[in-house]
Amino acid sequence: MEALRTPDERFDDLPGYDFAPNYVDDLPGYEGFRVHYLDEGPVDALQTFLCLPGEPTWAYLYRHMIPVFAEADARVIVPDWLGFGRSDKPANDALYTFHFHRDMMLALISRLDLFNITLVVQDWGGILGLSLPVEMPERFDRLVVMNTAMPVGESLGSGFQDWKDYVASKPDMDCGALMKRAVPHLSEAEAAAYEAPFPDTTYKAGVRRFPQLVMIEPGMEGIETMKRAREFWQHEWFGESFMAVGAKDPVLGVPVMSDLQQIIRGCPAPMVLEDAGHFVQEWGADVARAALASFKA
């Protein structure tokens, strides 16, 4: 299984990002694939924040949230999915499936032996991440959920179909330019940091594939897993939850998140960020502080 590895120098001097990389390359079933993760704060902390990025981002997306969580004496783990960030990028598009990524994250959680987890998710971080506690509920205590969904074979609307078609038409999509359009206050250097993992189009199999994997039609892989996850969050979740919504997101904004709130047992009314769009973590310091305050209440 051929994989590409982004040269380390592409990650030098990224603005606002001075976190040390960590790697594991022998996860069961993923031997030879190097998975990157950040590991900030004390290893023996009472709480661990597991922050999962989505399409087409990587650990850089959480740079505003990591210090807030770490200053609360928590451990903060931010992995990159295979195909993104500093993780290896399998070259075969067909390898990118729902369970390929889900099983990798389950293996990483087990390898790092994470407990007392606050799961922090957005976009594909949620589509995959919200299915994880079903397999290991004893490891998860709390949830911070931002613009995402739990698709089970039904349409997410015309906006998502437009996005899916757009990505399919752009095999070498400029991720930095996309982020700059979505988050206009980003500097050019910050926007470029989102393109850093991808020296050329051969590195972008994950970027191309993730929109095609969202379970919006009957029979797609992951639907049964997500149905089970919905049951878990509705009936078996007893932890604390916090929801933040970027109101300007045309696809996974307030209406979709209001439906998700009803699925998550005990989820309070969301924090709505009127100026934020899909990538809520770019307003992440305020979200992180509000989540911590909510959990202490």
Side-chain angles (χ1 to χ4, degrees):
M1 293 185 288
E2 180 188 358
L4 303 172
R5 183 167 295 173
T6 304
D8 287 341
E9 57 266 24
R10 288 185 63 88
F11 301 100
D12 291 342
D13 301 320
L14 301 183
Y17 187 89
D18 58 357
F19 308 110
N22 299 270
Y23 300 101
V24 59
D25 61 5
D26 60 349
L27 293 177
Y30 298 84
E31 292 86 354
F33 287 133
R34 191 177 75 169
V35 176
H36 166 258
Y37 63 98
L38 301 181
D39 191 347
E40 298 292 316
V43 175
D44 59 351
L46 296 179
Q47 292 290 331
T48 295
F49 286 79
L50 176 63
C51 305
L52 303 182
E55 155 86 356
T57 65
W58 61 288
Y60 187 77
L61 182 66
Y62 281 97
R63 69 195 181 284
H64 299 305
M65 302 183 84
I66 293 168
V68 178
F69 292 145
E71 287 166 8
D73 295 324
R75 185 181 184 186
V76 189
I77 304 291
V78 191
D80 287 332
W81 301 103
L82 286 167
F84 297 86
R86 299 187 78 146
S87 288
D88 282 353
K89 295 158 186 73
N92 183 357
D93 287 26
L95 197 60
Y96 292 80
T97 66
F98 179 90
H99 288 103
F100 174 81
H101 294 286
R102 180 177 187 264
D103 291 346
M104 184 278 286
M105 195 59 64
L106 290 169
L108 181 63
I109 292 168
S110 296
R111 167 58 58 84
L112 299 179
D113 200 23
L114 305 180
F115 279 92
N116 303 317
I117 296 172
T118 299
L119 181 64
V120 185
V121 299
Q122 177 261 348
D123 190 80
W124 261 103
I127 296 174
L128 287 162
L130 290 170
S131 77
L132 302 175
V134 174
E135 305 299 331
M136 41 180 60
E138 72 282 356
R139 293 180 182 266
F140 292 85
D141 290 346
R142 306 185 304 198
L143 172 69
V144 176
V145 59
M146 298 164 282
N147 297 46
T148 190
M150 298 184 72
V152 290
E154 300 170 350
S155 172
L156 289 174
S158 61
F160 177 75
Q161 188 60 49
D162 290 345
W163 163 246
K164 182 177 175 180
D165 293 344
Y166 174 78
V167 176
S169 73
K170 302 285 186 182
D172 191 19
M173 185 176 69
D174 186 332
C175 298
L178 169 74
M179 294 300 296
K180 182 65 174 173
R181 289 194 299 272
V183 188
H185 69 254
L186 289 180
S187 68
E188 293 298 331
E190 287 175 311
Y194 286 106
E195 184 68 10
F198 311 114
D200 59 54
T201 188
T202 62
Y203 289 75
K204 295 182 179 180
V207 175
R208 293 189 293 270
R209 285 289 294 155
F210 262 36
Q212 312 306 317
L213 302 180
V214 180
M215 300 85 79
I216 58 171
E217 298 174 2
M220 292 184 69
E221 180 184 338
I223 289 176
E224 294 306 313
T225 299
M226 191 58 73
K227 286 181 177 178
R228 174 70 186 92
R230 282 191 174 203
E231 288 292 315
F232 172 86
W233 290 103
Q234 283 181 310
H235 304 298
E236 301 169 43
W237 173 247
F238 293 94
E240 294 182 273
S241 301
F242 179 86
M243 177 178 285
V245 185
K248 290 186 176 180
D249 186 340
V251 178
L252 300 177
V254 173
V256 171
M257 292 297 284
S258 294
D259 291 342
L260 184 58
Q261 181 197 358
Q262 299 306 310
I263 293 173
I264 300 170
R265 185 181 183 276
C267 185
M271 173 186 185
V272 178
L273 291 87
E274 297 293 346
D275 294 331
H278 180 64
F279 299 99
V280 187
Q281 294 95 322
E282 288 294 346
W283 290 259
D286 289 342
V287 173
R289 284 190 286 265
L292 290 172
S294 171
F295 294 145
K296 289 178 180 179

Coordinates of all heavy atoms in Angstrom, one line a residue, residues 119 129-134 140 142-143 150 228-237 241 263-266:
L119 N -14.4 14.5 23.8 CA -14.3 14.4 22.4 C -14.7 15.8 21.7 O -15.8 16.3 22.0 CB -15.3 13.3 21.9 CG -15.4 13.0 20.4 CD1 -14.1 12.5 19.9 CD2 -16.5 12.0 20.1
G129 N -16.0 10.7 14.3 CA -15.7 10.8 15.7 C -16.9 10.4 16.5 O -16.8 9.8 17.6
L130 N -18.1 10.8 16.1 CA -19.3 10.5 16.9 C -19.7 9.1 16.9 O -20.5 8.6 17.7 CB -20.5 11.4 16.4 CG -20.4 12.9 16.7 CD1 -21.5 13.6 15.9 CD2 -20.5 13.2 18.2
S131 N -19.0 8.3 16.1 CA -19.2 6.8 16.1 C -18.3 6.1 17.0 O -18.5 4.9 17.3 CB -19.1 6.3 14.7 OG -17.7 6.2 14.3
L132 N -17.2 6.8 17.5 CA -16.2 6.1 18.3 C -16.6 5.6 19.6 O -16.3 4.5 20.0 CB -15.0 7.0 18.4 CG -14.3 7.5 17.1 CD1 -13.2 8.4 17.4 CD2 -13.8 6.3 16.3
P133 N -17.4 6.4 20.4 CA -17.7 6.0 21.8 C -18.6 4.7 21.8 O -18.6 4.1 22.9 CB -18.5 7.2 22.4 CG -18.0 8.4 21.6 CD -17.8 7.8 20.2
V134 N -19.2 4.4 20.8 CA -20.0 3.1 20.7 C -19.1 2.0 21.1 O -19.5 1.0 21.8 CB -20.6 3.0 19.4 CG1 -21.3 1.6 19.3 CG2 -21.6 4.1 19.1
F140 N -14.9 7.8 27.3 CA -15.4 9.1 27.0 C -16.3 9.7 28.1 O -17.2 9.0 28.5 CB -16.2 9.0 25.7 CG -15.3 8.7 24.5 CD1 -15.0 7.4 24.1 CD2 -14.8 9.8 23.7 CE1 -14.2 7.1 23.0 CE2 -14.0 9.5 22.6 CZ -13.7 8.2 22.3
R142 N -17.1 13.5 28.0 CA -17.7 14.8 27.6 C -17.6 15.0 26.1 O -16.8 14.3 25.4 CB -17.0 16.0 28.3 CG -17.0 15.9 29.8 CD -16.4 17.1 30.6 NE -15.1 17.5 30.1 CZ -14.3 18.3 30.8 NH1 -14.7 18.8 32.0 NH2 -13.1 18.6 30.4
L143 N -18.4 15.9 25.6 CA -18.4 16.2 24.1 C -18.5 17.6 23.9 O -19.2 18.4 24.5 CB -19.7 15.5 23.6 CG -20.0 15.8 22.1 CD1 -19.0 15.2 21.2 CD2 -21.4 15.4 21.7
M150 N -24.7 13.5 11.5 CA -24.6 12.0 11.6 C -25.5 11.4 10.5 O -26.6 11.0 10.7 CB -25.1 11.6 13.0 CG -24.3 12.2 14.1 SD -24.9 11.6 15.8 CE -24.3 9.9 15.7
R228 N -26.2 3.0 14.7 CA -25.9 2.5 16.0 C -25.4 3.7 16.9 O -25.7 3.8 18.0 CB -24.9 1.4 15.9 CG -24.3 0.9 17.3 CD -25.4 0.2 18.1 NE -24.9 -0.1 19.4 CZ -25.1 0.6 20.5 NH1 -25.8 1.8 20.4 NH2 -24.6 0.3 21.7
A229 N -24.6 4.6 16.3 CA -24.1 5.7 17.0 C -25.2 6.6 17.4 O -25.2 7.2 18.5 CB -23.1 6.5 16.1
R230 N -26.2 6.8 16.5 CA -27.3 7.7 16.9 C -28.1 7.1 18.1 O -28.5 7.8 19.0 CB -28.3 7.8 15.7 CG -27.9 8.8 14.6 CD -29.0 9.0 13.6 NE -28.7 10.0 12.7 CZ -29.6 10.7 12.0 NH1 -30.9 10.5 12.2 NH2 -29.2 11.7 11.1
E231 N -28.2 5.8 18.1 CA -28.9 5.1 19.3 C -28.1 5.4 20.5 O -28.7 5.7 21.6 CB -29.0 3.6 19.0 CG -30.1 3.3 18.0 CD -31.5 3.6 18.5 OE1 -31.8 3.3 19.6 OE2 -32.3 4.2 17.7
F232 N -26.8 5.3 20.4 CA -25.9 5.5 21.6 C -26.1 6.9 22.1 O -26.3 7.1 23.3 CB -24.4 5.3 21.2 CG -23.5 5.7 22.3 CD1 -23.1 4.9 23.3 CD2 -22.9 7.0 22.3 CE1 -22.2 5.3 24.3 CE2 -22.0 7.4 23.3 CZ -21.7 6.5 24.3
W233 N -26.0 7.9 21.3 CA -26.1 9.3 21.7 C -27.5 9.7 22.2 O -27.7 10.5 23.2 CB -25.7 10.3 20.6 CG -24.3 10.2 20.3 CD1 -23.7 9.6 19.3 CD2 -23.2 10.8 21.1 NE1 -22.3 9.8 19.4 CE2 -22.0 10.5 20.5 CE3 -23.2 11.5 22.3 CZ2 -20.7 10.9 21.0 CZ3 -21.9 11.9 22.8 CH2 -20.7 11.6 22.2
Q234 N -28.5 9.0 21.7 CA -29.9 9.3 22.2 C -30.2 8.6 23.5 O -30.9 9.2 24.4 CB -30.9 8.8 21.1 CG -31.1 9.6 19.9 CD -32.1 9.1 18.9 OE1 -32.0 7.9 18.6 NE2 -33.0 9.9 18.5
H235 N -29.7 7.4 23.7 CA -30.2 6.6 24.8 C -29.1 6.2 25.8 O -29.4 5.8 27.0 CB -30.9 5.4 24.3 CG -32.0 5.7 23.4 ND1 -33.1 6.4 23.8 CD2 -32.2 5.4 22.0 CE1 -34.0 6.5 22.7 NE2 -33.4 5.9 21.7
E236 N -27.8 6.2 25.4 CA -26.8 5.6 26.3 C -25.7 6.6 26.7 O -24.9 6.3 27.5 CB -26.1 4.5 25.5 CG -27.0 3.3 25.1 CD -26.4 2.4 24.2 OE1 -25.2 2.0 24.4 OE2 -27.1 2.0 23.2
W237 N -25.8 7.8 26.2 CA -24.9 8.9 26.6 C -25.3 9.6 27.9 O -26.4 10.1 28.0 CB -24.7 9.9 25.5 CG -23.9 11.1 25.8 CD1 -24.3 12.4 25.9 CD2 -22.5 11.1 26.0 NE1 -23.3 13.2 26.2 CE2 -22.1 12.5 26.2 CE3 -21.5 10.1 26.0 CZ2 -20.8 12.9 26.5 CZ3 -20.2 10.5 26.3 CH2 -19.8 11.9 26.5
S241 N -22.3 17.6 27.5 CA -22.1 18.0 26.2 C -22.1 19.6 26.0 O -22.7 20.3 26.8 CB -23.2 17.5 25.3 OG -23.3 16.1 25.4
I263 N -30.6 14.8 19.0 CA -30.2 13.4 19.0 C -29.3 13.2 20.3 O -29.3 12.1 20.9 CB -29.4 13.1 17.7 CG1 -30.3 13.1 16.5 CG2 -28.6 11.7 17.9 CD1 -29.6 12.9 15.2
I264 N -28.5 14.2 20.6 CA -27.5 14.0 21.7 C -28.2 14.2 23.1 O -28.7 15.3 23.4 CB -26.4 15.0 21.6 CG1 -25.7 14.7 20.2 CG2 -25.4 14.8 22.7 CD1 -24.6 15.8 19.9
R265 N -28.3 13.1 23.8 CA -29.0 13.2 25.1 C -28.5 14.2 26.0 O -27.3 14.2 26.3 CB -29.0 11.8 25.8 CG -29.8 11.6 27.0 CD -29.6 10.2 27.6 NE -30.4 10.0 28.8 CZ -30.0 10.4 30.0 NH1 -28.8 11.0 30.2 NH2 -30.8 10.2 31.1
G266 N -29.3 15.1 26.5 CA -28.9 16.1 27.5 C -28.1 17.3 26.9 O -27.6 18.1 27.7

